Amino acid sequence: MTDDNLLMMRYRLLWFIPVLFLSACSPEPVHETRFMMGTLVEFTIEGVPRATAMKAIAAAAGEMARIERKMSIYGPKDNPIKRFNRTPERTDFIFDDEIDKLLAMAVAIEAASGHAFHPALGSLNRLWGFSLDPPPSAPPKRDAIRRLLPAGGCLKRTGDHRWQRMTRSCQIDLGGIAKGYAIERGMAQLIQHGVRHALINAGGDIASIGDNMGKPWRIGIRHPRKPGGLLGWIHLKHNECIVTSGDYERFFMYHGKRYHHILDPRTGYPATRAIGTTVIAKEAALADAWSTALFVMGARGLEPLQQQGMAALVVRSDGTIIMNEAMQKRFHSIETR
Ligand code: ADP
Ligand code: MG
């Protein structure tokens, strides 16, 4: 080989190596955090340039904020849910397609969970005040709780997009399902902006698409009594969602007893059959509502979820973890003392 040829080869190699290197590397993952829906929402996006990811996140966050404004019973602004809650009993109220569909899903889950999930605990939740500022420090009076207990099935669809509340205390509160729905819609926005690999984590409600650099997304499940500690972890399959509910999210201690924000619709008091629950499903709204339902039902809710193809676990107050078969197959425990 002549000196000229050698020089030429070196030159080609020098040019070639950075090109190879650049094409082998996908863009850096983008992490962004926003505060909304009363929690920190974390976006993780892989596989697109930062500018694309940031545009997609802005669109997703905008969509989630829209849903929060439209569906929350808290805050100063009026919305269709608050208007419905002020409508006299047994009077038709017409909702748009979006709320009609979500309510239909919520009412179906109410029936399937034996009224453990109740989408019309609005007056009771306001009485407890876990979502108010300042948060409560003592339970309400027993009589007041009893007065505001809504009957199971008090929310009725009377016709096309038409809904009625059957009793005065029957007021919609979508707090147990709307966050899941919001991250679902947020994810749809990311997809519309060309994102194919992403996680949205809204304080334990997680939606996913694609994977993490060719590997499945690995999700830690929070320990309900060890801040920063994990119970275990699982790998998400394509486009799965995982939701965890716990009595550590919003609570106060009163006379040595913990009072938290997931209420048993039969008693009107915080549910006692679990301290943490996790559900994996194809849709985040479904996983969200069922993790709340399972929290009220306790371990006896695991089998119905197995029948519906959802992996689920319950942590009981003594710390024992009970799983359905679908969860046992994929749960990796983390031994802690
Ligand atoms: P988080 O919002 O902390 O993730 P959940 O998804 O379990 O927790 O939802 C709790 C919220 O759902 C409460 O703040 C309240 O608005 C509502 N809620 C409380 N108890 C019930 C219940 N039994 N059924 C349906 N919604 C409930
Ligand atoms: Mg929920």
Side-chain angles (χ1 to χ4, degrees):
M1 203 181 278
T2 65
D3 278 359
D4 272 1
N5 277 345
L6 206 64
L7 209 69
M8 200 58 191
M9 235 182 87
R10 272 202 196 134
Y11 175 75
R12 274 199 197 131
L13 259 180
L14 277 176
W15 183 84
F16 202 53
I17 288 168
V19 171
L20 254 185
F21 182 72
L22 278 175
S23 59
C25 282
S26 48
E28 284 282 293
V30 174
H31 297 281
E32 268 287 305
T33 307
R34 307 275 170 102
F35 187 82
M36 59 183 129
M37 303 185 296
T39 191
L40 276 183
V41 181
E42 296 163 26
F43 296 88
T44 306
I45 295 186
E46 302 273 0
V48 292
R50 187 172 175 81
T52 310
M54 294 307 286
K55 244 191 193 162
I57 290 169
E63 172 71 350
M64 291 160 75
R66 176 189 71 78
I67 292 166
E68 186 183 12
R69 279 195 304 276
K70 182 173 174 179
M71 300 190 184
S72 174
I73 60 168
Y74 298 100
K77 292 236 171 78
D78 207 19
N79 64 26
I81 302 289
K82 290 179 184 172
R83 284 196 285 280
F84 174 86
N85 287 345
R86 293 196 303 266
T87 300
E89 300 97 272
R90 297 173 184 273
T91 309
D92 274 355
F93 185 96
I94 300 175
F95 280 116
D96 69 4
D97 219 36
E98 184 176 42
I99 295 185
D100 182 53
K101 283 209 178 82
L102 192 61
L103 278 182
M105 184 185 205
V107 164
I109 294 170
E110 184 194 347
S113 66
H115 307 289
F117 182 84
H118 197 312
L121 288 181
S123 5
L124 195 63
N125 273 324
R126 290 193 74 90
L127 176 72
W128 277 92
F130 285 103
S131 302
L132 297 175
D133 194 18
S137 52
K141 297 260 184 301
R142 189 168 287 274
D143 275 355
I145 291 175
R146 210 170 288 146
R147 269 200 303 279
L148 293 186
L149 257 186
C154 72
L155 193 61
K156 285 221 159 63
R157 193 173 192 271
T158 53
D160 192 27
H161 293 74
R162 289 167 187 276
W163 291 81
Q164 288 187 10
R165 49 196 205 99
M166 307 313 285
T167 60
R168 208 180 140 83
S169 61
C170 185
Q171 296 198 339
I172 296 177
D173 171 15
L174 294 175
I177 190 171
K179 214 196 299 171
Y181 176 69
I183 61 173
E184 238 172 63
R185 301 312 310 158
M187 192 58 95
Q189 282 297 318
L190 296 186
I191 293 169
Q192 248 183 40
H193 282 75
V195 174
R196 294 293 173 265
H197 305 280
L199 276 188
I200 304 180
N201 180 358
D205 287 31
I206 299 172
S208 78
I209 51 165
D211 53 46
N212 182 12
M213 315 261 233
K215 294 198 189 112
W217 292 107
R218 184 180 150 136
I219 309 291
I221 300 173
R222 188 171 157 177
H223 195 294
R225 287 291 176 271
K226 293 180 183 143
L230 296 179
L231 278 181
W233 59 271
I234 58 114
H235 274 139
L236 283 183
K237 294 176 194 155
H238 246 56
N239 303 354
E240 274 185 333
C241 308
I242 177 167
V243 172
T244 296
S245 293
D247 67 359
Y248 48 82
E249 294 271 1
R250 274 172 277 162
F251 72 95
F252 61 84
M253 300 299 289
Y254 183 76
H255 290 178
K257 206 173 153 207
R258 180 187 293 252
Y259 291 85
H260 63 85
H261 71 310
I262 301 176
L263 303 176
D264 185 333
R266 278 152 295 204
T267 62
Y269 279 83
T272 54
R273 289 201 171 100
I275 60 172
T277 50
T278 296
V279 173
I280 304 174
K282 284 277 170 212
E283 290 169 56
L286 208 60
D288 188 8
W290 273 108
S291 86
T292 306
L294 185 60
F295 197 102
V296 176
M297 298 166 90
R300 72 195 168 88
L302 289 170
E303 200 41 43
L305 287 178
Q306 174 75 26
Q307 306 283 321
Q308 296 178 64
M310 288 183 251
L313 68 79
V314 171
V315 187
R316 292 202 295 209
S317 54
D318 63 1
T320 50
I321 309 173
I322 308 179
M323 297 176 230
N324 65 12
E325 210 186 315
M327 184 64 95
Q328 276 164 30
K329 281 190 185 145
R330 54 197 297 193
F331 180 82
H332 302 264
S333 122
I334 293 175
E335 294 301 330
T336 49
R337 270 168 292 128

